Amino acid sequence: MLIQKITRSLIQGSAILLLTISMSAAIGQKMAYADHSLPIISDQGIYSIEVYPRKHQLIIRKHGKVLKTYVVAVGNPSTPTPVGEYKIIAKGKDWGPSFGPRWLGLNVPWGIYGIHGTNKPHSIGQHLSHGCIRMRNKDVIELFKMTPLGTKVTIYGHILGDPSHDPRNLAEGDVGGDVQLIQSRLKSAGYYHGVCDGKFRSSTTTALKKFQRDRKLKPNGVISSKVYEELGLVE
């Protein structure tokens, strides 16, 4: 009797485990194309993507070797494409004409950014997006098929922007890697106590004004060239 009970328990446990795996797989298939608020992160490591905003170029590699190069549109100076290393955490289809037929969402901490198609093909090869990476629709469909969730995306450049131009002025409401860098510097100096998430909110403004007062600067809550200098970010 004891052996029979153990056997029944093992069979029941196996059945539950198989059911759980099947349900997880079904949910995973459904969520792979779900809204970006429900991402699935899976580190594949086979493919990688590199984006060079100044060259308007996106390169996809397989096992480190260049597979294909595409011409893309990137962010304008006031809404730059976020420099850094990210992952594709969401994939979607037909989200609207502005996004073209495909969307690949990135895990940028301060906003919703991704690689997508466009209904403005004339923008390809220019700095005309709001920070996202635009591709020709046929190209983004091709990229979408090749790249799994978890694919690493490296966007090259300087966090403070084009080295031939001064960094942009920043104020409450702005977002970006430059904001995150400012928060990090203010936090290191003991002025900012929040999360360095790249979102310029009132807490960042308060910290910045205190820093400005201590440095005998106008406490207007705006990151100007003088503030960049005082923070040691530019010479």
Side-chain angles (χ1 to χ4, degrees):
M1 287 297 292
L2 179 60
I3 293 174
Q4 289 176 340
K5 285 181 180 179
I6 293 172
T7 302
R8 278 199 300 271
S9 297
L10 288 172
I11 293 172
Q12 288 172 351
S14 298
I16 292 170
L17 178 61
L18 288 171
L19 179 61
T20 302
I21 292 171
S22 299
M23 288 176 68
S24 298
I27 292 170
Q29 290 172 355
K30 182 178 180 181
M31 288 176 65
Y33 299 100
D35 185 84
H36 49 265
S37 62
L38 296 171
I40 298 174
I41 300 173
S42 175
D43 190 4
Q44 300 296 324
I46 298 171
Y47 295 90
S48 63
I49 292 173
E50 298 171 0
V51 180
Y52 298 88
R54 294 187 70 187
K55 297 180 180 179
H56 305 104
Q57 196 175 75
L58 183 150
I59 297 173
I60 179 167
R61 295 177 181 270
K62 183 177 182 181
H63 295 302
K65 295 183 179 180
V66 174
L67 199 60
K68 196 147 187 179
T69 300
Y70 300 98
V71 180
V72 297
V74 294
N76 61 58
S78 61
T79 55
T81 296
V83 172
E85 293 186 352
Y86 308 102
K87 285 184 178 182
I88 294 174
I89 57 168
K91 296 175 73 173
K93 294 182 178 182
D94 302 318
W95 281 12
S98 297
F99 300 104
R102 299 291 185 271
W103 162 274
L104 298 97
L106 306 178
N107 62 332
V108 180
W110 53 82
I112 299 171
Y113 293 87
I115 303 167
H116 61 79
T118 181
N119 60 352
K120 297 178 180 177
H122 62 273
S123 68
I124 301 300
Q126 301 186 62
H127 285 77
L128 284 178
S129 83
H130 292 99
C132 287
I133 299 152
R134 296 179 188 170
M135 301 182 71
R136 293 186 177 95
N137 290 337
K138 65 179 181 65
D139 291 344
V140 78
I141 289 173
E142 189 172 71
L143 185 71
F144 186 95
K145 290 177 181 177
M146 284 190 284
T147 49
L149 294 166
T151 298
K152 182 181 177 181
V153 178
T154 304
I155 301 174
Y156 289 90
H158 196 284
I159 290 175
L160 296 181
D162 187 339
S164 62
H165 296 86
D166 290 333
R168 61 176 181 154
N169 285 355
L170 299 169
E172 194 165 320
D174 285 326
V175 297
D178 44 7
V179 175
Q180 190 176 45
L181 182 58
I182 294 294
Q183 290 172 325
S184 177
R185 285 300 177 100
L186 289 172
K187 192 165 191 173
S188 296
Y191 290 91
Y192 181 64
H193 305 288
V195 178
C196 299
D197 58 3
K199 298 177 181 179
F200 203 134
R201 298 193 177 102
S202 59
S203 56
T204 303
T205 302
T206 300
L208 173 59
K209 286 183 176 179
K210 189 175 187 308
F211 175 82
Q212 289 173 319
R213 282 191 292 269
D214 288 351
R215 295 303 177 102
K216 309 301 181 187
L217 302 175
K218 184 179 179 180
N220 58 3
V222 175
I223 304 292
S224 62
S225 58
K226 191 63 180 175
V227 174
Y228 280 111
E229 289 176 17
E230 290 292 332
L231 287 169
L233 296 172
V234 296
E235 294 182 356

